């Protein structure tokens, strides 16, 4: 029964995430404005806006104009629902579960916005930084997952500085922009959440994953080395890898 609760809660937050993904890049409000079809502009009734169910019932079409609904809406709701369940399964009813649920909502929104628009809105990065720092004042968190205040502060500063230095050097050498400050702010937020030790590991994981994804397109020449790619999604995937395997990797490194 509790899994059903987290699944439904996750689907609801996934629906809200879809609103943010669609509206934030357009500087539109995400709370008061009602959902509408992007094609016919008709307001979507509540019974056509039930997470997951309405998508399946309407067969991926708008009731009013038969415009196809982007599969991303269903995928985000399902991903959010499953993420909530997995977090609860691993960490139970705890503050850690609450924190990871909050983090997952931010990560899902940032992932899809950056993937599509190549931007990471400050409206997401700054609250994520603040929450990452604020949680360090809670005394009973697992120190292996979440660092103390000093570690968190260093992590936030280090995350920003590393990306800023990469941007600065690339611009000096190539005389053009390589990465955006949105990536620096995101890595800073991640540093606030998981401390300075996490930053180099997450950069490594993210870079390897990005390289593995981009390499085939470079080989078949559908993309070149100058093709712009969003790095935010890779930072998020790298962070997930760190959360899952970080402790084991740190044990290996510190025992060498």
């Amino acid at each position: 029964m509790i899994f059903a609760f987290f699944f439904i809660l996750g689907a609801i937050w996934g629906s809200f995430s879809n609103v943010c993904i669609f509206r934030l890049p357009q500087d539109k409000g995400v709370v008061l404005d009602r959902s509408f079809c992007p094609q016919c502009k008709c307001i979507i009734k509540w019974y056509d806006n039930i997470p997951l169910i309405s998508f399946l019932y309407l067969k991926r079409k708008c009731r009013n104009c038969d415009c196809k609904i982007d599969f991303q809406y269903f995928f985000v709701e399902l991903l959010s629902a499953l993420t909530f369940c997995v977090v609860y399964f691993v960490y139970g009813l705890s503050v850690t579960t609450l924190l990871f649920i909050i983090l997952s909502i931010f990560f899902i929104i940032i992932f899809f916005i950056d993937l599509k628009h190549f931007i990471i809105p400050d409206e997401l990065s700054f609250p994520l930084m603040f929450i990452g720092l604020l949680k360090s004042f809670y005394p009973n968190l697992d120190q292996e997952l979440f660092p103390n205040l000093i570690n968190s502060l260093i992590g936030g500063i280090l995350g920003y500085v590393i990306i800023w230095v990469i941007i600065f050097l690339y611009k000096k050498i190539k005389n053009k922009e390589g990465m955006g400050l949105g990536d620096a702010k995101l890595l800073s937020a991640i540093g606030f959440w998981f401390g300075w030790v996490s930053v180099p590991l997450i950069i490594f994981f993210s870079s390897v994953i990005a390289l593995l994804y981009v390499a085939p397109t470079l080989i078949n020449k559908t993309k070149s080395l100058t093709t712009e790619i969003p790095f935010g999604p890779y930072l998020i995937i790298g962070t997930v890898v760190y959360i899952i395997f970080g402790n084991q990797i740190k044990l290996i490194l510190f025992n060498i």
Side-chain angles (χ1 to χ4, degrees):
M1 191 67 183
I2 192 73
F3 276 105
F5 168 78
F6 274 93
F7 187 89
I8 294 169
L9 185 65
I12 292 170
W13 276 102
S15 181
F16 176 74
S17 298
N18 275 320
V19 173
C20 295
I21 291 165
F22 179 75
R23 295 183 186 177
L24 282 179
Q26 304 178 45
D27 292 323
K28 292 182 178 179
V30 298
V31 178
L32 298 179
D33 296 336
R34 293 186 61 185
S35 298
F36 60 90
C37 172
Q39 180 68 29
C40 67
K41 310 301 180 184
C42 287
I43 297 296
I44 298 174
K45 306 293 186 183
W46 70 266
Y47 48 79
D48 287 337
N49 209 19
I50 301 172
L52 298 174
I53 296 173
S54 293
F55 184 93
L56 296 173
Y57 177 77
L58 294 171
K59 298 179 180 178
R60 197 184 168 185
K61 292 181 180 178
C62 170
R63 184 186 293 272
N64 299 293
C65 67
D66 283 342
C67 171
K68 272 204 168 185
I69 303 170
D70 193 332
F71 183 74
Q72 176 186 298
Y73 288 93
F74 181 83
F75 180 76
V76 167
E77 290 170 357
L78 182 61
L79 176 63
S80 180
L82 293 175
T83 300
F84 275 41
C85 289
V86 169
V87 170
Y88 166 71
F89 176 77
V90 176
Y91 299 104
L93 291 173
S94 63
V95 175
T96 299
T97 293
L98 176 62
L99 287 170
F100 275 133
I101 281 176
I102 292 170
L103 184 65
S104 71
I105 294 167
F106 276 92
F107 271 5
I108 288 171
I109 297 171
I110 291 171
F111 186 99
F112 286 97
I113 287 179
D114 198 26
L115 194 65
K116 187 173 183 178
H117 299 282
F118 294 79
I119 58 170
I120 301 175
D122 289 343
E123 296 94 326
L124 299 171
S125 298
F126 290 148
L128 202 57
M129 289 181 193
F130 177 73
I131 297 169
L133 182 62
L134 187 65
K135 65 156 185 45
S136 302
F137 291 94
Y138 186 76
N140 298 320
L141 287 178
D142 183 351
Q143 291 294 309
E144 290 188 353
L145 273 176
F146 302 118
N148 58 34
L149 179 60
I150 300 301
N151 197 336
S152 179
L153 279 169
I154 296 172
I157 295 168
L158 182 65
Y160 188 89
V161 168
I162 286 180
I163 299 294
W164 186 89
V165 168
I166 292 172
I167 293 170
F168 177 79
L169 292 177
Y170 189 88
K171 191 170 183 178
K172 282 290 184 182
I173 296 169
K174 295 287 188 177
N175 199 30
K176 61 180 179 180
E177 300 289 344
M179 299 175 71
L181 284 177
D183 297 320
K185 294 169 189 173
L186 176 58
L187 188 58
S188 175
I190 292 168
F192 279 123
W193 274 77
F194 300 106
W196 70 266
V197 174
S198 70
V199 172
L201 292 174
I202 288 170
I203 290 177
F204 174 76
F205 296 147
S206 305
S207 301
V208 170
I209 294 165
L211 182 61
L212 290 174
Y213 177 78
V214 172
T217 63
L218 294 176
I219 293 171
N220 60 31
K221 297 182 179 179
T222 56
K223 289 183 180 179
S224 69
L225 290 173
T226 58
T227 301
E228 185 180 6
I229 63 168
F231 195 59
Y234 298 109
L235 285 174
I236 289 170
I237 296 172
T239 304
V240 174
V241 173
Y242 173 81
I243 292 169
I244 297 172
F245 301 109
N247 285 336
Q248 295 91 317
I249 293 170
K250 282 185 285 186
L251 283 173
I252 293 171
L253 290 177
F254 292 140
N255 285 334
I256 291 176

